[in-house]
Amino acid sequence: MNLAAVEQIAKAVLYEGYMLYPYRPSSVKNKQRWNFGVLYPQSYSVFQQDTDPCLSQTQCLTRGSILPAIEVKVRFLQMIARSIGRLKLPAAGLGAAGPQAFDFVERMEVDGRVFQSWQEAEEREISIRLQYGDSITPMLQQHEFAFPAERQLEPIRNAAGLVVGVIVRDKEKLSVLVETNATRCHEDVFKIKVRILNRTPFESPETKSRDQALMCSLLSAHTVLGAVNCEFVSMLEPPDDLRELVAACQNIGTWPVLVGASGQRDTLLSSPIILYDYPQIAPESAGDLFDGTEIDEILSLRIMTLTENEKREMRESDDRARQILERTEALPAEQFMKLHGVIRSVQPQKKEAS
């Protein structure tokens, strides 16, 4: 699997829509995030009549008959609820303060720094190897994975070194079922299936909000597949003899495309966002902007026009947003010129017939 080639594209998919311009929690467009590749708990999905999916499925074809195998990586973000607690009395440390010594607040300021509630995310990855050799029998396998609930406390100290508040980060438990299958279609052609199902328990979905469901969801879920002793077939431009088999593949909530250098067929990205074969990040891009619409110049210029108060909120709301701001403010003039436009190739103009 060519992980180096797929990493930039997979990262862009993972964080697409994570936080949008103007990168502030108070912005309307950031009130409801993670609209791509969300797999909700199964009970919540059923209650919503499947309008909010709990599963995704990738089906693709491989060609190759010498002990072929597939390396599968399921990647997603897990939401972290960040809450802010204000200590009733300053203390030397959190242990001395005790668990009931703070009250939750939406926002607090300490010596000019602002701390506020927000939604963060942690990257998760599941790795599976599907070894199907030259078997004629379908190789159905089920893999269950569990991620435990967790709470982390980070002290907020004032200039005197006393703890006056606490950042509380909560993660709910997740339960994920990954089903893989390889079915032989022809002598050297196999149909590969990867199905991801969110089986996280979620009681009384009729009384829960979307934000509560997101805490138990897989966000920006996608699959990266690597071919061993075989190669993937393009799902967009298949060879003539495999067009019918490609058309029969059922992809649910995903869009599988070849990634890497043009012509390589050892890595496939199954994305919740529609892409084309061999997608590339523009080399002029200075870094992630959480927006895949190739408007780096406009976004960078607009970030520069934010007011000091808006920049302060952006800087203090999220580490990834802060990195965007710092990187943008540090961009040299020549980098902005590169963002302005690049001619990739020049085609000679056809002469009109006289």
Side-chain angles (χ1 to χ4, degrees):
M1 184 185 300
N2 190 351
L3 285 179
V6 75
E7 185 63 24
Q8 278 190 310
I9 300 299
K11 278 280 188 181
V13 170
L14 195 63
Y15 287 100
E16 174 74 9
Y18 172 81
M19 195 176 189
L20 299 177
Y21 175 86
Y23 303 108
R24 293 182 284 110
S26 59
S27 172
V28 173
K29 66 176 68 175
N30 286 318
K31 295 296 184 183
Q32 180 170 312
R33 301 152 69 201
W34 290 298
N35 294 320
F36 299 100
V38 179
L39 301 183
Y40 295 87
Q42 191 170 13
S43 61
Y44 181 82
S45 178
V46 171
F47 176 73
Q48 297 294 332
Q49 299 181 337
D50 297 329
T51 56
D52 292 320
C54 62
L55 67 86
S56 67
Q57 176 176 289
T58 298
Q59 279 193 338
C60 60
L61 300 181
T62 64
R63 211 165 209 170
S65 57
I66 306 175
L67 297 177
I70 300 295
E71 295 175 350
V72 179
K73 290 187 180 296
V74 175
R75 305 178 67 189
F76 59 92
L77 295 175
Q78 180 177 4
M79 183 184 286
I80 301 173
R82 187 182 74 201
S83 306
I84 305 300
R86 187 194 305 274
L87 262 68
K88 298 174 182 178
L89 292 173
L94 284 178
Q100 306 300 325
F102 60 84
D103 297 316
F104 284 109
V105 296
E106 190 64 27
R107 181 179 184 274
M108 70 178 293
E109 185 170 343
V110 179
D111 298 327
R113 295 178 299 158
V114 175
F115 301 88
Q116 58 185 2
S117 300
W118 185 234
Q119 298 168 338
E120 300 176 348
E122 179 179 355
E123 295 181 19
R124 296 293 198 184
E125 182 174 291
I126 294 170
S127 297
I128 299 169
R129 184 179 177 90
L130 175 58
Q131 184 78 50
Y132 55 95
D134 58 357
S135 173
I136 299 177
T137 305
M139 301 292 291
L140 177 63
Q141 300 175 8
Q142 292 187 329
H143 315 264
E144 293 194 24
F145 300 87
F147 300 88
E150 185 179 354
R151 166 170 282 196
Q152 296 178 340
L153 303 180
E154 178 184 342
I156 300 173
R157 297 181 182 272
N158 61 15
L162 294 176
V163 176
V164 295
V166 59
I167 302 174
V168 182
R169 292 182 171 90
D170 286 310
K171 288 182 289 190
E172 299 291 343
K173 65 179 180 180
L174 294 179
S175 178
V176 184
L177 176 68
V178 180
E179 181 181 283
T180 59
N181 193 14
T183 304
R184 193 168 193 170
C185 302
H186 294 311
E187 181 179 355
D188 63 342
V189 177
F190 285 81
K191 177 182 287 186
I192 306 301
K193 182 178 78 172
V194 179
R195 172 175 285 201
I196 309 168
L197 175 63
N198 185 354
R199 300 182 65 177
T200 304
F202 192 73
E203 298 180 0
S204 305
E206 66 278 2
T207 65
K208 304 290 180 62
S209 66
R210 178 181 181 271
D211 279 348
Q212 289 174 301
L214 285 174
M215 286 294 295
C216 299
S217 298
L218 282 58
L219 314 174
S220 302
H222 61 278
T223 307
V224 181
L225 300 94
V228 180
N229 295 328
C230 60
E231 63 179 28
F232 292 109
V233 174
S234 172
M235 305 297 288
L236 301 179
E237 298 180 1
D240 291 339
D241 61 325
L242 296 180
R243 288 189 180 277
E244 289 188 7
L245 283 176
V246 166
C249 290
Q250 294 184 329
N251 287 284
I252 304 172
T254 62
W255 188 262
V257 295
L258 297 168
V259 290
S262 180
Q264 290 184 338
R265 298 179 178 274
D266 62 342
T267 310
L268 195 80
L269 170 64
S270 191
S271 162
I273 305 168
I274 295 177
L275 300 171
Y276 44 84
D277 282 340
Y278 309 113
Q280 301 290 326
I281 300 293
E284 294 77 24
S285 178
D288 294 332
L289 288 168
F290 307 148
D291 194 310
T293 54
E294 300 183 8
I295 53 174
D296 289 38
E297 181 187 23
I298 295 175
L299 282 174
S300 298
L301 289 173
R302 295 194 70 175
I303 290 171
M304 298 294 286
T305 65
L306 293 174
T307 67
E308 289 305 315
N309 285 337
E310 289 172 331
K311 288 182 179 180
R312 180 186 181 189
E313 184 183 355
M314 178 179 174
R315 184 181 295 109
E316 295 174 341
S317 65
D318 185 274
D319 283 343
R320 293 185 176 93
R322 174 183 53 78
Q323 291 168 9
I324 289 177
L325 177 60
E326 292 175 350
R327 184 181 68 238
T328 302
E329 290 185 322
L331 281 178
E334 56 268 23
Q335 182 66 38
F336 271 110
M337 291 302 296
K338 290 181 180 179
L339 294 178
H340 186 63
V342 175
I343 298 177
R344 300 294 181 201
S345 62
V346 177
Q347 299 293 335
Q349 186 175 2
K350 294 182 180 180
K351 294 183 178 180
E352 295 184 1
S354 56

